[in-house]
């Protein structure tokens, strides 16, 4: 069995949405929820014409407030931070298909233009380890997991901060500036039958990143041979600029808490750039509580806008959003 590694660099972009982190539901929102929840589905017409005054402390005229489902309500602005919500179409609150129930109601607040979150960039080392077999080609381990038990062994676990099954193989994040030999091997054992394979050890190269110091040391060690044209990889990731245009929130009756990011991606280079794996995360402190993955390919100067929906099993007190761009190339 022949084995090789493919190295990519991940750029961690932490979006500090502290402006929203401190905001709770508008004043009066709980009264609206309670009125709907306590109304029997068969008596939903009784909600016709009910009005609720909502106040968003700290809201200003620069922000647009909206409520969903939109066709169920009439929304009037009474002041910079005050709104009057009237139920004009109670039937639109009910969803059909399967079990009949009320739609989750949600609110959002968006800047009329855009808001510019503080963005930090941090270079890290992410290794994509893919296995191949002579005469067969790359092995997609996900296709073998139903019939085989696949386990791995790391020779120097202290040098690895994260390892997980991803795509065809494994995604491995090395501890920044960790040195020393680190290797990985697999054992593939059939769940039924005697087939039992073990790969040889493969090397996971050192991760060397710049550490800000008054006099940064000069790195004289050459890059590992697996690194192919790193400036190209860095440039392609930098070329695809992500900007959060808006955020909306909802809370479903099941307790699921969701945030929808409206994201604008722009290719700032003069070449076609593509990121195959853009992972969006919602963090509660240092723990990721929701995530999803997108891919983007844009021609020179082109931009696109898309939505990212993140759903958590609970509502965090405070949170941040972080985006990991990997497998970024020029085409």
């Amino acid at each position: 069995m022949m084995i090789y590694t493919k190295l990519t660099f991940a750029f961690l972009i932490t979006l500090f949405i502290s402006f929203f982190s401190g905001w709770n539901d508008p004043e009066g929102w709980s009264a609206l929820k309670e009125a709907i929840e306590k109304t029997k589905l068969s008596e939903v017409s009784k909600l016709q014409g009910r009005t609720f005054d909502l106040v968003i402390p700290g809201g200003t005229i620069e922000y647009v407030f909206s409520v969903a489902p939109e066709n169920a309500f009439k929304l009037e602005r009474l002041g910079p931070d005050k709104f009057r919500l009237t139920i004009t179409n109670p039937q639109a609150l009910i969803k059909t298909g399967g079990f009949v129930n009320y739609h989750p109601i949600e609110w959002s607040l968006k800047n009329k233009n855009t808001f510019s979150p503080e963005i930090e960039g941090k270079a890290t080392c992410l290794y994509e380890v893919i296995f191949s077999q002579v005469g067969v080609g790359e092995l997609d381990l996900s296709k073998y997991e139903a019939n085989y038990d696949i386990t791995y062994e790391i020779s120097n676990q202290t040098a690895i901060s994260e390892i997980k099954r991803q795509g065809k193989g494994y995604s491995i994040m090395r501890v920044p500036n960790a040195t020393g030999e680190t290797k990985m091997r697999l054992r593939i054992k059939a769940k039924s039958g005697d087939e039992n394979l073990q790969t040889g050890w493969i090397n996971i190269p050192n991760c060397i990143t710049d550490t800000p110091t008054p006099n940064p040391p000069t790195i004289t060690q050459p890059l590992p041979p697996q690194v192919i044209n790193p400036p190209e990889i860095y440039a392609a990731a930098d070329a695809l600029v992500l900007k959060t245009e808006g955020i909306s929130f909802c809370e479903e009756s099941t307790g699921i808490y969701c945030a929808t990011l409206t994201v604008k991606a722009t290719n700032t280079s003069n070449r076609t750039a593509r990121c195959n794996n853009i992972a969006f995360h919602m963090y509660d402190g240092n723990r990721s509580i929701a995530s999803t993955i997108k891919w983007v390919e844009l021609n020179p100067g082109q931009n696109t806008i898309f939505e990212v929906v993140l759903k958590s099993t609970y509502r965090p007190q405070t949170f941040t959003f972080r985006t990991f761009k990997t497998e970024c190339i020029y085409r």
Side-chain angles (χ1 to χ4, degrees), residues 136-162:
V136 177
E138 291 185 359
L139 299 180
D140 187 346
L141 296 182
S142 65
K143 296 179 179 179
Y144 294 89
E145 290 171 330
N147 299 315
Y148 293 84
D149 289 321
I150 302 175
T151 57
Y152 65 84
E153 183 179 354
I154 299 293
S155 65
N156 182 11
Q157 189 64 53
T158 60
I160 304 298
S161 62
E162 183 181 12

Side-chain angles (χ1 to χ4, degrees), residues 109-147:
L109 195 67
K110 296 183 180 180
N111 195 313
K112 288 181 180 178
N113 301 305
T114 60
F115 42 94
S116 302
E118 182 182 354
I119 296 176
E120 283 188 350
K122 179 182 178 182
T124 61
C125 286
L126 179 67
Y127 295 80
E128 181 183 350
V129 181
I130 298 176
F131 298 82
S132 66
Q133 186 175 9
V134 176
V136 177
E138 291 185 359
L139 299 180
D140 187 346
L141 296 182
S142 65
K143 296 179 179 179
Y144 294 89
E145 290 171 330
N147 299 315

Side-chain angles (χ1 to χ4, degrees), residues 53-66:
D53 287 344
L54 306 176
V55 177
I56 305 175
T60 66
I61 199 66
E62 285 79 19
Y63 289 86
V64 177
F65 180 67
S66 61

Side-chain angles (χ1 to χ4, degrees), residues 307-327:
E307 287 190 343
V308 175
V309 179
L310 299 169
K311 292 190 176 184
S312 169
T313 56
Y314 68 96
R315 177 176 182 166
Q317 292 294 321
T318 59
F319 50 85
T320 56
F321 297 100
R322 302 179 187 177
T323 304
F324 299 83
K325 290 189 292 185
T326 63
E327 300 180 24

Side-chain angles (χ1 to χ4, degrees), residues 1-125:
M1 179 173 289
M2 180 176 65
I3 305 162
Y4 68 91
T5 63
K6 181 169 62 177
L7 170 65
T8 59
F9 283 84
F11 287 83
L12 170 61
I13 301 176
T14 305
L15 306 183
F16 293 94
I17 316 300
S18 57
F19 186 68
F20 284 94
S21 299
W23 280 6
N24 296 315
D25 287 334
E27 295 175 9
W29 186 259
S30 59
L32 169 65
K33 289 175 58 178
E34 184 177 354
I36 295 174
E37 289 171 352
K38 290 188 175 181
T39 301
K40 297 180 180 179
L41 291 169
S42 59
E43 298 177 351
V44 69
S45 60
K46 292 183 178 180
L47 292 172
Q48 179 71 36
R50 290 284 302 273
T51 62
F52 303 85
D53 287 344
L54 306 176
V55 177
I56 305 175
T60 66
I61 199 66
E62 285 79 19
Y63 289 86
V64 177
F65 180 67
S66 61
V67 177
E70 293 184 3
N71 58 343
F73 304 102
K74 175 185 176 183
L75 184 63
E76 302 171 89
R77 188 162 204 154
L78 305 181
D81 61 349
K82 188 173 183 179
F83 301 84
R84 177 158 294 160
L85 191 68
T86 304
I87 301 176
T88 56
N89 182 12
Q91 289 296 331
L93 294 170
I94 298 177
K95 62 179 179 180
T96 58
F99 292 103
V100 178
N101 201 350
Y102 282 114
H103 282 290
I105 58 173
E106 54 188 86
W107 63 273
S108 66
L109 195 67
K110 296 183 180 180
N111 195 313
K112 288 181 180 178
N113 301 305
T114 60
F115 42 94
S116 302
E118 182 182 354
I119 296 176
E120 283 188 350
K122 179 182 178 182
T124 61
C125 286

Side-chain angles (χ1 to χ4, degrees), residues 168-244:
K168 294 181 179 180
Y170 285 86
S171 173
I172 299 178
M173 184 79 74
R174 284 203 57 148
V175 175
N177 296 316
T179 59
E181 184 179 80
T182 304
K183 296 183 178 182
M184 175 188 185
R185 68 181 177 185
L186 289 188
R187 169 154 299 190
I188 306 172
K189 186 177 184 302
K191 294 181 179 180
S192 61
D194 299 328
E195 200 170 2
N196 190 353
L197 306 174
Q198 180 171 282
T199 71
W201 289 102
I202 60 171
N203 185 52
I204 309 298
N206 289 337
C207 172
I208 302 175
T209 60
D210 290 335
T211 302
T213 59
N215 296 296
T218 301
I219 299 175
T220 57
Q221 179 178 348
L223 290 172
Q226 287 87 345
V227 179
I228 301 175
N229 201 4
E232 289 279 294
I233 299 174
Y234 274 110
D238 286 339
L240 283 176
V241 176
L242 304 178
K243 186 175 183 180
T244 304

